[in-house]
């Protein structure tokens, strides 16, 4: 049976507090019982005024030591008739999705109600205007009760309200201006609804406001309200809306702000010294806006308590230096997450970059940073994710990484690194899940040790200058040998859960989530690798994609390629492969991207239910010896095995015909000769005549 928790049903005082209270509580419950339907009413048979002195023994009732009702456990009831409990002070109904219906208008009769919490219920309907009659209300929590319609302006009459939580519903319309009358409110949560329009300027009247969360709505326009009166404001979350223009510079005037999330909006700028008074700021996220500003203007007086700084996908420019030429990051000793990716920043990395003790995730990818990654003899143990892709870094593989033993993801792709891939990488970075070195100038052979990463799921060495053969011992790549479902590590910072790394998969740029590690793949394309494809690759049963295209690989495709049953993308194009395509290819039931073009393959293309879907002839183009769907049919329409059998039979028949013909000819001449000699008289003389005709 589901639980409806109604805590603190306190009624009007009387001269005999304990006895009178019990009678009043019993009377209220009996009246509510009468309003219930069907089975719920029948199951409450003992509830009657005749039994009111034994209230705490009623079925589904729990009392405290003083004899007051503290808990009512019911299932399948509705809120109909709840308005009769006019002396209720606290009404909590939690975690009961089976509770249906709507909040009745009679809710407005509960004049003494101080706490109304309806959480995780299966209600619906709109919030009635009569909610404004609850002028004693201090806590209104209507979370996940499927409310629809708009917020009634009468909500502004709740002048004693301290907590207003309407999150996770289906509310529409705008936030009413009357919200500014609730000057006692401290926590205001409207997140994850469908609210639209501007953020009311009257919010600036809420001098006691501590938390404002309107994230996940459709609010928009410029934010014109001032936060000058909000000296207690410590959390502002306006993420995932349509706000635009300059970010309001007064957000930190109160000096108490700790959390600011404005990601996924359309803000175009941040005024200089906006965060000057944010001495307590710990979390700031402006991901995916259109902010054009110099980085040091945003944080020229940065707070030392910052733990999360995320400005990805904006138009920030400048370097990681302050106006005084000092390193911008060196004093941020609390920093745990730094995401400045996809901007226009340039310059070198500061050496103190390796010394920040709490730094766990760094993403500086897709900027114009340059120079050599600075060397340090230390690497803090918290560093798990280092993403420096798509910049202009040069030099050899950073030696400082040798000390980063807890690194989980390393992305150096799209730079100008050169030299060889170090053999110490797998020993020094044993926890690595993701290694991307693509689009650099690494040369030499692929060290055998690169296949010693037991936790590695993604290996991308594509578009370098690697030579030699592909290492053939894959036994230690255990994370790729089986299907992966759970993440290798979960980062605690809220911004991390949306963090992604980009890889090329299925011929498109794919966003690989750090939180979802089911993807496993190898990309060695665009190098100068030679010799045969190692058979050991077919033991990596967890692979989702394999790309060996654009090399000089020769020999046959491994016969057991069909073992890779999870494979969704396979590209072997642009090599020198020969022989037939293995019949086991038809076992790849998940394959959706396939490319064998520009090789020397021959024979009939295997058939299979999934292969028949891949009907683009370019998949097999520039292989003159290939035939069969989706190319032209082979001259002999039988299967390859049948063709070989038929060819053997034809050879056998030919030899039989040859023997028969030879026997016939021999027999014919033997018969003719014997007949000729038998027809002449004196066969002996005849022989002598022949003899005498030959002069001696």
């Amino acid at each position: 049976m589901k639980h409806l928790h109604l805590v603190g049903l306190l009624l009007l005082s009387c001269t005999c507090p304990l006895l009178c209270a019990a009678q009043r509580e019993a009377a209220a419950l009996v009246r509510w019982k009468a309003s219930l339907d069907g089975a719920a009413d029948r199951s409450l048979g003992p509830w009657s005024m005749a039994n009111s002195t034994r209230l705490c023994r009623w079925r589904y009732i729990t009392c405290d030591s003083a004899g007051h009702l503290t808990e009512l456990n019911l299932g399948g009831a509705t809120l109909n008739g709840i308005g009769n409990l006019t002396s209720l002070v606290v009404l909590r109904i939690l975690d009961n999705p089976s509770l249906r219906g709507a909040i009745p208008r009679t809710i407005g009769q509960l004049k003494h109600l101080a706490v109304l919490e309806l959480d995780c219920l299966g209600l619906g309907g709109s919030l009635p205007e009569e909610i404004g009659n609850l002028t004693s209300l201090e806590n209104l929590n209507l979370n996940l009760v499927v409310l629809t319609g708009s917020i009634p302006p009468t909500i502004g009459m709740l002048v004693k309200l301290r907590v207003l939580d309407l999150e996770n519903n289906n509310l529409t319309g705008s936030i009413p201006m009357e919200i500014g009358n609730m000057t006692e409110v401290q926590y205001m949560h409207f997140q994850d609804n469908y609210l639209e329009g501007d953020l009311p300027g009257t919010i600036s009247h809420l001098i006691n406001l501590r938390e404002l969360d309107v994230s996940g709505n459709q609010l928009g326009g410029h934010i014109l309200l001032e936060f000058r009166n909000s000296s207690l404001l410590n959390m502002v979350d306006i993420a995932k809306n349509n706000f635009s223009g300059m970010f309001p510079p007064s957000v930190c005037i109160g000096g108490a702000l700790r959390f600011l999330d404005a990601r996924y909006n359309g803000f175009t700028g941040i005024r200089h010294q906006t965060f000057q008074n944010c001495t307590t700021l710990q979390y700031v996220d402006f991901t995916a806006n259109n902010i054009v500003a110099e980085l040091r203007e945003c944080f020229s007086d940065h707070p030392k308590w910052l733990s999360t700084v995320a400005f990805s996908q904006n138009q920030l420019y400048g370097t990681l230096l302050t106006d005084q030429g000092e390193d911008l990051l060196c004093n941020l000793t609390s920093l745990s997450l730094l995401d400045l990716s996809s901007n226009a920043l340039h310059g070198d990395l500061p050496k103190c970059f390796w010394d920040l003790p709490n730094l766990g995730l760094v993403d500086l990818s897709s900027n114009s940073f340059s120079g050599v990654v600075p060397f340090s003899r230390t690497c803090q143990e918290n560093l798990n994710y280092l993403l420096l892709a798509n910049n202009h870094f040069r030099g050899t593989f950073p030696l400082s990484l040798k000390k980063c033993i807890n690194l989980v993801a390393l992305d150096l792709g799209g730079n100008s690194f050169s030299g060889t891939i170090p053999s110490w990488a797998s020993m020094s970075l044993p926890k690595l899940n993701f290694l991307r070195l693509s689009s650099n100038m690494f040369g030499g052979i692929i060290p055998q040790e690169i296949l010693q990463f037991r936790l590695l799921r993604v290996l991308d060495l594509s578009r370098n200058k690697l030579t030699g053969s592909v290492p053939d011992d894959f036994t230690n790549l255990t994370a790729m040998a089986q299907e992966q479902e759970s993440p290798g590590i979960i980062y605690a910072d809220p911004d991390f859960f949306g963090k992604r790394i980009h890889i090329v998969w299925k011929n498109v740029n794919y966003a690989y989530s750090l939180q979802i590690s089911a993807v496993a793949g190898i990309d060695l394309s665009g190098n100068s690798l030679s010799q045969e494809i190692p058979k050991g690759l077919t033991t990596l049963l967890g692979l989702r994609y394999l790309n060996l295209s654009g090399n000089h690989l020769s020999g046959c495709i491994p016969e057991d390629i069909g073992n890779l049953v999870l494979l969704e993308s396979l590209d072997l194009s642009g090599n020198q492969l020969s022989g037939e395509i293995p019949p086991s290819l038809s076992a790849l039931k998940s394959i959706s991207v396939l490319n064998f073009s520009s090789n020397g393959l021959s024979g009939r293309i295997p058939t299979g239910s999934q292969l028949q879907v891949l009907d683009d002839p370019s998949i097999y183009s520039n292989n003159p010896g290939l035939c069969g769907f989706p190319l032209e049919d082979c001259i002999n329409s039988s299967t390859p095995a049948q063709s070989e059998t038929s060819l053997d039979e034809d050879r056998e028949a030919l030899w039989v015909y040859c023997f028969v013909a030879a026997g016939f000819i021999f027999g014919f001449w033997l018969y003719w000769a014997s007949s000729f000699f038998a027809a002449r008289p004196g066969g002996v003389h005849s022989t002598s005549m022949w003899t005498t005709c030959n002069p001696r």
Side-chain angles (χ1 to χ4, degrees):
M1 178 168 286
K2 306 285 173 111
H3 298 292
L4 300 184
H5 299 287
L6 292 95
V7 181
L9 283 135
L10 305 178
L11 305 180
L12 296 176
S13 61
C14 74
T15 55
C16 302
L18 184 59
L19 180 60
C20 185
Q23 291 176 344
R24 290 183 183 279
E25 289 170 353
L29 290 172
V30 169
R31 286 195 297 271
W32 188 30
K33 170 193 170 184
S35 71
L36 300 178
D37 299 324
D41 183 16
R42 292 192 297 272
S43 67
L44 303 177
W47 287 19
S48 67
M49 290 305 298
N51 198 22
S52 62
T53 58
R54 306 182 66 185
L55 172 67
C56 295
R57 296 186 181 182
W58 287 8
R59 190 178 184 184
Y60 310 128
I61 293 296
T62 302
C63 294
D64 60 16
S65 58
H68 291 292
L69 177 67
T70 58
E71 186 173 336
L72 172 63
N73 301 323
L74 281 176
T78 69
L79 288 178
N80 293 330
I82 198 73
N84 296 327
L85 302 174
T86 56
S87 296
L88 277 177
V89 173
V90 176
L91 174 59
R92 288 191 180 100
I93 305 178
L94 312 176
D95 302 321
N96 192 348
S98 66
L99 187 63
R100 303 297 179 182
I103 299 176
R105 294 184 177 276
T106 54
I107 196 78
Q109 299 175 17
L110 306 181
K111 304 291 187 180
H112 301 281
L113 200 63
V115 176
L116 175 58
E117 294 185 9
L118 307 178
D119 199 336
C120 298
L121 307 178
L123 296 178
S126 60
L127 184 61
E129 293 183 356
E130 288 76 7
I131 198 74
N133 295 335
L134 305 180
T135 53
S136 298
L137 206 59
E138 297 178 5
N139 187 337
L140 177 59
N141 183 342
L142 305 178
N143 179 21
L144 271 174
V145 290
V146 205
L147 288 176
T148 59
S150 60
I151 302 172
T154 54
I155 202 169
M157 298 169 62
L158 306 180
V159 294
K160 293 183 179 180
L161 202 66
R162 295 181 180 180
V163 177
L164 175 58
D165 189 348
L166 302 180
E167 63 182 283
N168 293 301
N169 286 289
N170 296 321
L171 294 170
T172 57
S174 60
I175 300 174
M177 298 289 290
E178 290 78 4
I179 212 85
N181 297 330
M182 302 159 57
T183 54
E184 296 295 322
V185 75
Q186 299 177 14
Y187 304 93
M188 184 176 290
H189 294 176
F190 293 136
Q191 65 264 35
D192 298 323
N193 281 282
Y194 298 94
L195 299 173
E196 56 188 11
D198 297 333
L199 198 61
T202 54
I203 290 179
S204 61
H205 299 162
L206 307 179
I207 59 176
N208 293 301
L209 192 62
R210 297 174 183 268
E211 293 184 4
L212 173 63
D213 192 342
V214 295
S215 61
N217 281 282
Q218 299 170 9
L219 300 168
H222 294 200
I223 297 180
L224 302 177
L225 66 92
E226 295 286 340
F227 293 96
R228 297 183 183 277
N229 299 321
S230 305
S231 59
L232 302 175
L233 190 63
N234 62 62
M235 191 274 274
V236 174
D237 192 344
I238 55 176
K240 301 178 183 177
N241 279 286
N242 301 312
F243 294 118
S244 58
M246 296 292 291
F247 184 76
S250 62
V251 69
C252 283
I253 285 182
L257 195 66
R258 289 185 300 158
F259 183 100
L260 173 59
D261 192 348
R263 58 193 160 131
Y264 300 105
N265 278 286
F267 290 113
T268 56
I270 298 177
R271 288 192 173 90
H272 183 54
Q273 297 182 338
T274 290
F275 301 107
Q276 182 177 11
N277 293 325
C278 287
T279 55
T280 58
L281 190 61
Q282 299 176 14
Y283 181 105
V284 56
D285 191 346
F286 278 86
T287 297
N289 280 272
N290 297 309
I291 296 172
V292 180
E294 189 169 8
L295 180 62
R296 62 187 177 188
E297 290 184 357
C298 298
F299 289 98
S300 58
D301 296 305
H302 50 72
K304 63 179 181 179
W305 302 113
L306 270 175
S307 63
T308 296
V309 177
F311 278 82
S312 175
Q313 302 174 57
N314 282 282
Q315 300 178 51
L316 298 182
Y317 57 90
T319 66
L320 297 179
L321 298 176
T322 66
D323 291 333
Q324 293 75 32
E326 299 176 353
D327 291 327
L328 192 64
L329 304 176
C330 293
N331 293 326
L332 300 180
T333 54
S334 299
L335 194 62
S336 63
L337 185 149
L338 176 65
D339 186 359
L340 301 176
S341 61
S342 300
N343 282 285
L345 300 169
H346 67 278
D348 299 337
L349 290 185
K351 187 175 181 180
C352 67
F353 171 78
W354 301 104
D355 300 325
L356 298 175
N358 296 300
L359 198 58
L361 187 151
V362 178
D363 190 353
L364 303 179
S365 58
S366 300
N367 280 283
S368 296
F369 290 112
S370 59
V372 176
V373 175
F375 173 75
S376 176
R377 296 185 182 277
T378 61
C379 180
Q380 298 301 321
E381 62 180 13
N382 288 319
L383 187 60
N384 300 137
Y385 302 92
L386 180 59
L387 316 176
L388 303 179
N390 304 323
N391 281 286
H392 305 297
F393 292 115
R394 54 184 173 81
T396 59
F397 192 93
L399 188 59
S400 298
L401 293 174
K402 198 169 185 178
K403 302 293 184 179
C404 301
I405 59 174
N406 291 317
L407 208 59
V408 173
L410 175 62
D411 190 352
L412 303 180
N415 283 285
S416 298
F417 289 108
S418 57
T420 59
I421 298 174
S423 58
W424 51 259
S426 59
M427 293 295 293
S428 299
L429 308 174
K431 298 181 181 180
L432 210 60
N433 285 200
F434 182 102
L435 177 60
R436 180 173 178 255
L437 305 179
S438 62
S439 300
N440 280 285
M441 295 186 289
F442 288 112
I445 64 171
I446 300 175
Q448 181 67 44
E449 292 82 0
I450 204 74
L451 303 182
Q452 303 296 316
F453 288 105
R454 293 186 177 274
L455 301 179
L456 198 66
R457 295 185 176 93
V458 173
L459 174 63
D460 189 350
L461 307 180
S462 62
R463 298 181 295 283
N464 279 284
K465 298 182 178 180
L466 299 170
T467 58
S469 61
V470 179
D472 58 0
D473 185 3
F474 295 88
T475 55
N476 287 316
L477 290 179
T478 53
M480 294 188 187
Q482 55 190 346
E483 184 175 4
Q484 299 291 327
E485 295 181 356
S486 60
I489 186 170
I490 298 178
Y491 196 77
D493 197 287
D495 184 69
F496 169 76
F497 295 106
K499 195 62 198 165
R500 299 176 182 273
I501 299 179
H502 292 272
I503 59 177
V504 176
W505 180 30
K506 300 185 180 182
N507 297 326
V508 296
N509 194 303
Y510 173 77
Y512 175 87
S513 173
L514 292 177
Q515 186 67 14
I516 303 173
S517 57
V519 176
I522 295 177
D523 191 346
L524 305 179
S525 63
N527 284 284
S528 297
L529 301 172
S530 57
Q531 301 186 34
E532 295 186 347
I533 299 175
K535 294 181 174 59
L537 270 173
T538 62
T539 65
L540 302 180
L541 305 185
L543 284 183
R544 301 278 183 171
Y545 72 93
L546 175 62
N547 191 347
L548 303 178
S549 64
N551 283 286
H552 305 299
L553 298 172
S554 57
C556 298
I557 299 174
E559 288 290 332
D560 295 329
I561 194 71
N563 290 347
L564 306 179
V565 293
L566 297 179
L567 210 59
E568 299 178 31
S569 177
L570 175 61
D571 192 344
L572 304 179
S573 63
N575 282 287
Q576 300 165 14
L577 300 173
S578 57
E580 296 184 352
I581 299 175
S584 67
L585 188 73
S586 60
L588 303 183
K589 305 299 184 182
S590 300
I591 198 77
S592 60
V593 174
L594 184 64
N595 194 348
F596 286 165
S597 64
S598 300
N599 280 286
L601 299 170
S602 59
R604 180 179 294 278
I605 298 171
T607 58
S609 58
Q610 185 61 24
L611 293 180
Q612 298 303 108
V613 177
L614 305 177
D615 56 0
D616 184 356
S618 66
I619 294 173
Y620 307 99
S621 63
N622 297 321
N623 287 281
L626 283 179
C627 59
F629 181 85
L631 303 179
E632 293 184 2
D633 199 8
C634 301
I635 296 177
N636 187 341
S637 60
S638 59
T639 64
Q642 291 174 331
S643 299
E644 189 64 29
T645 302
S646 299
L647 191 58
D648 292 340
E649 292 175 350
D650 291 344
R651 292 194 187 101
E652 184 178 345
L654 180 61
W655 280 106
V656 171
Y657 293 151
C658 289
F659 281 120
V660 170
F664 175 79
I665 294 172
F666 177 77
F668 173 79
W669 282 106
L670 183 64
Y671 172 79
W672 182 85
S674 59
S675 299
F676 177 80
F677 289 116
R680 297 177 63 88
V684 174
H685 298 288
S686 173
T687 303
S688 300
M689 180 182 68
W690 283 103
T691 303
T692 57
C693 288
N694 292 302
R696 300 185 175 208

